[in-house]
Amino acid sequence: MVQRKRKTTFPCGHRGQGRECQRCLQEAREAQAQAEAAANRLQEKDEWEACFEMDIVDLRGLPKHILKKARQVIQSLDNGQDYRFFKGKQMRVNSQLVRIPFSNDYRLIVKYSGREFSMLEVLSHEDYNKKYGKNQRRVG
Ligand SMILES: [Zn+2]
């Protein structure tokens, strides 16, 4: 005859074997793991946000692969690289403005005043056309 282990009712209300409720222990472990994961995500988010604070132009909302490219190009320009190196072109609407393509979909707009330059914005192809496209009046 098989000897059955006695089940006890724990203070939490669960029934089981042993001295502690395995179900509650398991739940506590899972809750702990979830809290740690949430804390990690929060930290990553803070670091992610901090990167944007460092950017010369606002790059929030860009797809990740464009973001990476944008940061590389901006860094290079900042280090003195010529915009033509990145296929940058003077814009017809204003010769001080240069557009640098990141891909078919995004453009960086840089403003040159003599040797000084400032990064203006990163625009999607669509927004670029709306703002600087054909049939637009001169800007800047
Ligand atoms: Zn329990």
Side-chain angles (χ1 to χ4, degrees):
M1 185 165 162
V2 181
Q3 195 186 350
R4 293 196 177 200
K5 285 186 183 165
R6 268 178 52 209
K7 279 196 172 182
T8 32
T9 303
F10 299 108
C12 59
H14 297 134
R15 282 173 59 76
Q17 294 160 359
R19 283 166 48 176
E20 283 183 275
C21 173
Q22 293 306 309
R23 223 168 119 178
C24 283
L25 275 180
Q26 179 62 25
E27 279 173 17
R29 273 195 292 268
E30 279 167 14
Q32 174 74 18
Q34 270 176 21
E36 275 170 23
N40 285 341
R41 277 198 301 275
L42 208 62
Q43 195 188 344
E44 275 169 24
K45 194 166 167 265
D46 280 353
E47 283 164 12
W48 177 251
E49 275 297 310
C51 288
F52 289 105
E53 298 295 329
M54 308 267 290
D55 287 328
I56 305 172
V57 272
D58 192 3
L59 299 177
R60 287 179 177 84
L62 294 180
K64 270 189 186 174
H65 65 288
I66 297 295
L67 189 62
K68 203 175 161 195
K69 175 100 186 185
R71 285 193 170 129
Q72 282 169 358
V73 171
I74 289 167
Q75 181 70 48
S76 287
L77 291 174
D78 210 31
N79 288 340
Q81 181 65 269
D82 193 288
Y83 65 78
R84 290 176 201 92
F85 182 79
F86 300 105
K87 300 193 172 82
K89 285 190 177 119
Q90 281 192 338
M91 284 162 59
R92 211 175 291 171
V93 286
N94 181 334
S95 61
Q96 284 189 325
L97 298 182
V98 167
R99 66 164 197 272
I100 296 168
F102 287 152
S103 69
N104 287 332
D105 297 332
Y106 286 88
R107 314 267 183 276
L108 167 68
I109 311 299
V110 183
K111 183 173 187 173
Y112 283 83
S113 325
R115 294 169 65 89
E116 297 286 307
F117 70 93
S118 48
M119 311 288 175
L120 294 184
E121 56 193 339
V122 176
L123 292 172
S124 69
H125 182 66
E126 200 176 68
D127 290 341
Y128 174 86
N129 281 345
K130 264 186 222 159
K131 196 164 178 181
Y132 301 109
K134 286 172 195 161
N135 307 321
Q136 299 287 312
R137 59 192 170 80
R138 290 175 64 90
V139 291

